[in-house]
Amino acid sequence: MNGEAHHEPRDEMWEQVRRIRTWLDANTGGQTETERELLRVLKIGEEFGEVAEALHGAHNANPRKGASHTRADVSKELVDVAVTTLIALDTIDPEARKAFDARLQHLVDRVAPPSGEPA
């Protein structure tokens, strides 16, 4: 591995989330910690609206606009929702990655418990 540290894709994802959050923190002056948390959670709603608009357009649901979006647009907007959510989580919880991993495991175990255990 030529001396470079090996990073799991998940590690890299969290590093990138942290880079974006750090940039946002440095470039959104004048907000209190509470305002920053509120605005970042509200941003998830804004991004969700963009997914809804893209999905609506991809299904040609508005005859006035026609097919205004593609499935690729929907996919892009879903990623924006996911990243925005992770940034909000990282803003609110200093142990965001642990909180995410624990909750994800809980959700997986609820629908697909480890083999040999009843659902």
Side-chain angles (χ1 to χ4, degrees):
M1 280 196 347
N2 67 11
E4 293 179 22
H6 175 70
H7 290 289
E8 294 292 322
R10 198 171 55 151
D11 294 337
E12 186 176 333
M13 180 194 75
W14 280 105
E15 289 170 15
Q16 292 171 332
V17 166
R18 181 65 49 90
R19 284 180 59 200
I20 295 169
R21 186 188 59 79
T22 300
W23 181 87
L24 287 168
D25 289 349
N27 289 283
T28 52
Q31 296 173 350
T32 66
E33 182 177 341
T34 299
E35 290 169 333
R36 182 177 291 149
E37 290 175 355
L38 288 169
L39 290 170
R40 294 204 179 144
V41 170
L42 290 172
K43 181 73 174 167
I44 298 166
E46 178 186 332
E47 295 296 341
F48 169 76
E50 293 176 13
V51 172
E53 180 181 5
L55 187 60
H56 203 249
H59 285 279
N60 198 16
N62 184 339
R64 187 177 53 79
K65 290 184 179 180
S68 58
H69 292 78
T70 65
R71 292 183 67 80
D73 293 327
V74 176
S75 180
K76 178 184 77 75
E77 296 299 344
L78 283 168
V79 171
D80 288 354
V81 170
V83 171
T84 300
T85 301
L86 292 174
I87 290 167
L89 177 60
D90 195 53
T91 299
I92 288 172
D93 189 341
E95 298 291 331
R97 180 176 174 168
K98 287 181 184 176
F100 181 89
D101 289 346
R103 184 61 182 171
L104 179 59
Q105 189 62 55
H106 168 80
L107 295 171
V108 168
D109 291 346
R110 194 167 70 185
V111 299
S115 61
E117 294 183 23

